[in-house]
Amino acid sequence: MTDVNKKFDSKKDQVSGKAKEVEGKVTGDRAREAQGKTQSLMGKAKDKLADAEETVKGAVDEAKEKLKQKSDGH
């Protein structure tokens, strides 16, 4: 899954979860409200994970480039 797809998926979960949460509040359905909160939190967690993956990938790519330059004698 690409970074853009991961971000989209996490935002989709956040929006859908918030909608379920509001629906649960309006109808008095505590289970639906809890389900929505959980889905929204999962979306936020996915977003944070995608950010962390991007950071790690950048650091790894940078380290590879430095090693390559060092082995090339630069």
Side-chain angles (χ1 to χ4, degrees), residues 9-71:
D9 187 48
S10 70
K11 295 299 180 192
K12 182 182 69 170
D13 280 346
Q14 289 178 47
V15 170
S16 181
K18 191 64 175 174
K20 288 177 185 176
E21 183 181 346
V22 169
E23 176 189 356
K25 284 181 181 181
V26 169
T27 62
D29 185 345
R30 289 183 180 253
R32 185 71 168 175
E33 184 180 347
Q35 181 185 26
K37 284 182 181 180
T38 301
Q39 186 174 3
S40 183
L41 287 172
M42 287 299 294
K44 289 177 184 176
K46 286 180 184 179
D47 197 29
K48 296 290 185 189
L49 180 60
D51 289 344
E53 287 174 348
E54 288 176 32
T55 300
V56 169
K57 185 180 182 308
V60 168
D61 289 346
E62 186 177 320
K64 284 181 182 179
E65 184 60 33
K66 285 182 180 179
L67 285 173
K68 183 178 184 268
Q69 288 176 357
K70 190 174 185 179
S71 69

